[in-house]
Amino acid sequence: MDHRLDLVSFWGITPGSRVLEIGCGQGDCTIVLADAVGESGHVDAVDPGAPDYGAPYTLSQSQSYITSGPLGHRISFYNAHPTDYLSSLPQSTQKYDYVVLSHCIWYFSSPSQLSTLVSATCSWTKSLCVAEWSLRASKPQSHPHVLTALLLASLEAKRKEEGHGNIRTVLSPAQIRSVTESSSVLRLYAQEFRVSNEGLLDAYWEVSHTLRNREKVLKALGEGGVSEKELAAMAAMYDAVNAAVGIIDGGESGVRSMDVWIAKFQAVE
């Protein structure tokens, strides 16, 4: 929760604001946004994920719990693709004070999805707020997370069908900024790299799950016709993750999430 509070504080979400959160997932950031906008504000939270996606609680279970809580009346959840949601809004709809993309870009099915989404949001807001993993590790304990993200992105790129993992399209802060500013409507207003809070477990989940499935994934790649050279490269990447974990006190339990990149883009006047 402290991590989300830090994000909202950096973005400067003010009371009375109308916020569109894209890729809200189970609502971790949605609750903090709802608190920030106050009684006179509102958060529209959109996610295309299946209602039964997620563990230990699904999107549907988490969102229902939030809706029934003290901040529920400030939030409207929508199970829809973001661009479809935006295209369905009447032109008379009041524009959003902020559009938020909080740790959702790496879930996108392809890099082009970000460009399409930025183009769709430009006419609906003057402030785009972004938070994503930075691919930067200020501490040795975060190196396995960076390596794992790149490994999973490489594996995803070899898929013929769309995957369902937490990491599907890895874009660096520089790439995200380039895509966003290519709209010629939004320009970077402020950015910051921060060491992740110790309570964030994303790295542990991704690293442990990836290493646990090493042999199964490599076997499937070999049976799927991946070349010997590519297979060797993938195996070496797994070994690099394992080696990075091996030099950390506590092994997998000592792995820490990589640094976070926070940014705010404003409309060009």
Side-chain angles (χ1 to χ4, degrees):
M1 186 62 71
D2 288 344
H3 174 58
R4 266 70 186 187
L5 288 168
D6 290 343
L7 299 182
V8 173
S9 175
F10 178 87
W11 293 327
I13 307 295
T14 55
S17 299
R18 292 187 73 249
V19 177
L20 171 62
E21 183 190 7
I22 292 173
C24 63
Q26 292 159 316
D28 301 61
C29 193
T30 314
I31 298 175
V32 180
L33 290 168
D35 178 68
V37 301
E39 282 296 329
S40 59
H42 196 79
V43 179
D44 287 330
V46 181
D47 197 290
D52 61 353
Y53 177 82
Y57 300 102
T58 65
L59 267 64
S60 177
Q61 290 171 328
S62 297
Q63 294 174 5
S64 294
Y65 179 79
I66 292 171
T67 301
S68 63
L71 298 177
H73 62 288
R74 303 182 189 177
I75 304 168
S76 296
F77 285 107
Y78 298 91
N79 181 220
H81 193 283
T83 52
D84 292 339
Y85 170 80
L86 288 168
S87 64
S88 71
L89 295 176
Q91 289 301 313
S92 58
T93 302
Q94 181 183 351
K95 291 187 177 182
Y96 291 100
D97 298 295
Y98 307 92
V99 172
V100 172
L101 297 172
S102 178
H103 291 291
C104 68
I105 293 174
W106 284 13
Y107 283 84
F108 290 178
S109 60
S110 67
S112 62
Q113 190 174 341
L114 176 60
S115 177
T116 300
L117 185 58
V118 169
S119 297
T121 59
C122 282
S123 60
W124 287 103
T125 189
K126 291 185 176 182
S127 296
L128 178 65
C129 305
V130 180
E132 195 50 88
W133 302 114
S134 67
L135 294 178
R136 192 180 82 166
S138 294
K139 298 181 178 294
Q141 297 92 327
S142 300
H143 289 161
H145 192 199
V146 175
L147 293 173
T148 297
L150 295 173
L151 167 58
L152 293 177
S154 297
L155 291 171
E156 191 70 23
K158 297 182 182 301
R159 288 181 180 272
K160 296 180 180 179
E161 73 287 347
E162 183 178 347
H164 300 286
N166 296 339
I167 298 178
R168 306 174 197 177
T169 295
V170 170
L171 295 176
S172 68
Q175 289 173 300
I176 296 172
R177 178 178 176 179
S178 176
V179 169
T180 303
E181 293 189 322
S182 68
S183 67
S184 299
V185 177
L186 297 169
R187 285 290 180 270
L188 184 68
Y189 174 77
Q191 68 174 340
E192 190 171 306
F193 291 87
R194 292 185 180 178
V195 175
S196 61
N197 300 67
E198 290 190 19
L200 290 174
L201 297 176
D202 300 66
Y204 171 75
W205 293 330
E206 295 295 349
V207 172
S208 61
H209 181 268
T210 298
L211 291 178
R212 188 167 60 248
N213 287 281
R214 179 186 191 275
E215 297 308 318
K216 182 175 70 174
V217 172
L218 291 177
K219 180 181 178 182
L221 287 173
E223 294 175 347
V226 171
S227 70
E228 179 184 6
K229 190 173 183 179
E230 287 180 302
L231 193 59
M234 292 295 101
M237 292 177 73
Y238 273 104
D239 290 342
V241 174
N242 193 50
V245 171
I247 63 174
I248 296 173
D249 290 340
E252 288 182 13
S253 62
V255 170
R256 183 168 174 170
S257 297
M258 71 179 83
D259 299 354
V260 178
W261 176 64
I262 319 171
K264 184 174 182 179
F265 296 85
Q266 295 278 60
V268 177
E269 297 296 339

